[in-house]
Amino acid sequence: MIFLTLFLTFFKIGITTFGGGYAMIPMIQAEVVSHGWMTQQELVNFVAVSESTPGPFAVNVSTYVGAEAGGFLGAICATLGVVLPSFLVILAVAKCFLRFRSSRLVSAAMDGLHPAVVGLISAAAISIGQTVFQVPAAQSVSAFMTSEAFFALLIFAVCALLIFWKKLHPVLVIGIAATMGMLLCSLAEGV
């Protein structure tokens, strides 16, 4: 039963979200947590790992969640579920591409989807940010300066500067962020 549930859940995610893996995050988050397959924190951790590994984000996440919930067969079912809708849609679009390309209605629909995708990605960023940057209440300034939330804010700021100001390649920024995380964790343990 878990295999069918994994397939149908990720099929629903794959068929109802547009804009790629990042736009799927809010729906993946809601489904995975509500089914009890992972906690919010586990999912946030895996989003970071999934973003740092090769391959499409949605495939990485679905495969991992499927493996956690149903082993190897669960990974296959979840991955097929998330990939199959895109495959079928691309197959249909490729078959009718010339008719779709010149349609004003299709063009207008695509113009409407662009801001929706930005909104979905923004919602995912805010949701993940709330988990990552969560600061415990009534914390002293010195305790905050050695907290995970402070380190997360520091790493976020450095990464944003490196990407927007220095235009470093994302793979290099991911390596720098991982190194900073290890260093800051070591410093916090020594405090």
Side-chain angles (χ1 to χ4, degrees):
M1 187 62 175
I2 185 70
F3 305 119
L4 182 60
T5 303
L6 282 164
F7 176 82
L8 291 175
T9 299
F10 279 96
F11 188 87
K12 177 174 73 173
I13 291 168
I15 204 160
T16 58
T17 52
F18 295 86
Y22 297 119
M24 292 179 172
I25 292 174
M27 194 165 186
I28 290 172
Q29 183 179 22
E31 291 290 336
V32 168
V33 173
S34 72
H35 280 92
W37 294 329
M38 297 175 91
T39 66
Q40 175 72 21
Q41 186 60 49
E42 289 170 332
L43 185 61
V44 167
N45 289 342
F46 191 72
V47 165
V49 170
S50 182
E51 183 54 35
S52 305
T53 57
F57 174 80
V59 172
N60 291 349
V61 170
S62 62
T63 303
Y64 181 75
V65 171
E68 286 291 306
F72 181 75
L73 191 53
I76 291 172
C77 291
T79 303
L80 283 175
V82 83
V83 169
L84 191 58
S86 297
F87 176 75
L88 294 174
V89 168
I90 292 298
L91 206 58
V93 168
K95 186 168 176 66
C96 305
F97 180 69
L98 292 176
R99 262 189 287 159
F100 280 147
R101 186 172 64 182
S102 60
S103 168
R104 285 184 16 183
L105 187 60
V106 170
S107 180
M110 295 309 286
D111 288 344
L113 286 174
H114 291 148
V117 169
V118 171
L120 288 169
I121 293 170
S122 299
I126 290 167
S127 175
I128 290 172
Q130 287 173 333
T131 303
V132 171
F133 302 125
Q134 191 173 38
V135 179
Q139 197 175 50
S140 70
V141 173
S142 61
F144 174 70
M145 297 298 279
T146 58
S147 72
E148 286 182 30
F150 174 73
F151 294 153
L153 283 170
L154 182 63
I155 292 169
F156 170 78
V158 168
C159 290
L161 285 172
L162 291 174
I163 288 173
F164 292 115
W165 184 48
K166 287 291 189 179
K167 308 286 190 219
L168 288 183
H169 193 279
V171 172
L172 185 56
V173 174
I174 288 169
I176 291 168
T179 303
M180 285 181 67
M182 290 185 287
L183 289 172
L184 292 171
C185 183
S186 298
L187 286 173
E189 289 174 0
V191 171

